[in-house]
């Protein structure tokens, strides 16, 4: 895509969903960090089911440390890789208490020193919690970036850096939410729904997927919110 097409691409997504938000449920910055760590290789729906009861009792790193690893495992045992994730959540919570006064750091480099926090997780947190311009490239964004021609790259980092360079100023803060939304609900992995895509004419993917013979009832052009993973 050229610059004009990219601007048009995001303009349409923004018009369809002016205020995208993550589908992960959380009450504060710390709970967001925990939820994003738990969402690795898991769905937002699955994480939300596991954290609703947990987050009623645990709002701070100290409360998580007090809860303990075994009790945390019982809360999140329905999530994939829950043993390792529980260990990481307790460890990062201990570090937040010991080194950061119980507060979540607001820069990516510091966040990525925490157990279980990679670059993608850190980007989600600094963007969603602190409003920083960051591009958290998950499988959806990687696919959309390559399939559409928006930000082609062979690696997650390559796509992130391409987005960093190419996304215009008015859309930078919410860009990763729009792209996750688009990949999750429209530009799907197995069969992209080109027939109801609002940016299909800007996309280089061919051949475009035709509409089903019997269209599903009441499908929206875009969902009301977007997820980090």
């Amino acid at each position: 895509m050229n610059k004009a097409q990219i601007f048009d691409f995001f303009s349409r997504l923004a018009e369809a969903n002016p205020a995208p938000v993550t589908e992960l449920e959380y009450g504060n910055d710390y709970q967001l960090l925990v939820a994003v760590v738990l969402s690795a290789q898991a769905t937002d729906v699955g994480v939300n089911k596991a954290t609703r009861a947990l987050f009623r009792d645990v709002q701070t790193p100290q409360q998580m440390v007090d809860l303990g690893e075994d009790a945390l495992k019982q809360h999140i045992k329905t999530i994939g890789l829950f043993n390792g994730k529980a260990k990481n959540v307790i460890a990062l919570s201990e570090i937040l208490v010991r080194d950061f006064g119980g507060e979540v750091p607001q820069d990516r480099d510091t966040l990525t020193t925490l157990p279980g926090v990679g670059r993608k997780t850190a980007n989600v947190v600094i963007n969603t919690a602190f409003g920083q311009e960051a591009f958290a490239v998950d499988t959806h964004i990687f696919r959309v970036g390559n399939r559409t021609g928006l930000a082609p790259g062979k690696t997650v980092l390559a796509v992130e850096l391409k987005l960093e360079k190419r996304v215009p100023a008015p859309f930078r803060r919410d860009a990763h939410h729009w792209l996750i939304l688009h990949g999750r609900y429209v530009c799907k992995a197995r069969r992209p729904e080109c027939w109801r895509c609002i940016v299909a004419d800007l996309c280089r993917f061919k051949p475009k997927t035709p509409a089903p013979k019997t269209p599903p009832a009441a499908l929206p052009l875009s969902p009301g919110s977007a997820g980090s993973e």
Side-chain angles (χ1 to χ4, degrees):
M1 292 188 194
N2 59 38
K3 290 183 179 180
Q5 289 172 325
I6 292 172
F7 194 93
D8 195 6
F9 180 94
F10 282 107
S11 294
R12 297 183 197 182
L13 296 181
E15 183 177 0
N17 185 7
V21 295
T22 179
E23 289 180 339
L24 288 171
E25 298 172 2
Y26 65 98
N28 58 38
D29 299 342
Y30 170 68
Q31 289 182 339
L32 173 65
L33 173 61
V34 171
V36 179
V37 169
L38 295 178
S39 71
Q41 299 182 47
T43 66
D44 289 357
V45 171
V47 172
N48 290 338
K49 288 181 179 178
T51 57
R52 283 178 190 134
L54 173 66
F55 287 166
R56 282 197 292 269
D57 297 328
V58 177
Q59 292 90 41
T60 68
Q62 185 61 61
Q63 290 174 339
M64 187 69 77
V65 173
D66 294 341
L67 179 68
E69 186 174 331
D70 289 341
L72 175 57
K73 286 180 181 179
Q74 291 304 308
H75 278 283
I76 66 171
K77 61 185 178 182
T78 57
I79 300 175
L81 307 175
F82 72 93
N83 284 312
K85 291 177 180 179
K87 182 178 181 179
N88 284 334
V89 167
I90 294 298
L92 72 83
S93 299
E94 291 172 342
I95 293 171
L96 291 179
V97 171
R98 185 187 70 216
D99 298 339
F100 299 98
E103 299 296 324
V104 177
Q106 297 190 25
D107 68 281
R108 180 171 56 208
D109 290 343
T110 303
L111 281 166
T112 55
T113 66
L114 299 174
V117 180
R119 186 180 180 91
K120 180 182 71 175
T121 294
N123 279 340
V124 172
V125 173
I126 64 174
N127 176 264
T128 303
F130 306 120
Q132 298 180 33
E133 296 176 356
F135 304 92
V137 180
D138 67 349
T139 56
H140 298 301
I141 294 182
F142 185 80
R143 178 175 66 255
V144 172
N146 278 283
R147 181 183 276 167
T148 63
L150 170 67
K154 294 183 178 181
T155 67
V156 167
L157 181 58
V159 171
E160 179 188 335
L161 295 178
K162 191 69 69 68
L163 289 170
E164 179 70 37
K165 182 179 180 180
R166 305 191 78 187
V167 176
F171 310 111
R172 295 177 67 82
R173 178 173 175 176
D174 292 322
H176 101 264
H177 286 301
W178 283 315
L179 294 175
I180 289 173
L181 173 156
H182 194 63
R184 180 173 291 172
Y185 295 106
V186 180
C187 195
K188 300 176 181 180
R190 293 186 179 182
R191 184 177 172 83
E193 297 181 358
C194 305
W195 49 274
R196 69 184 192 95
C197 175
I198 59 176
V199 291
D201 59 308
L202 302 173
C203 170
R204 74 177 183 183
F205 177 74
K206 295 179 181 180
K208 296 293 192 284
T209 308
K213 293 181 180 179
T214 305
L219 271 176
L221 286 177
S222 62
S225 61
S228 57
E229 306 290 325

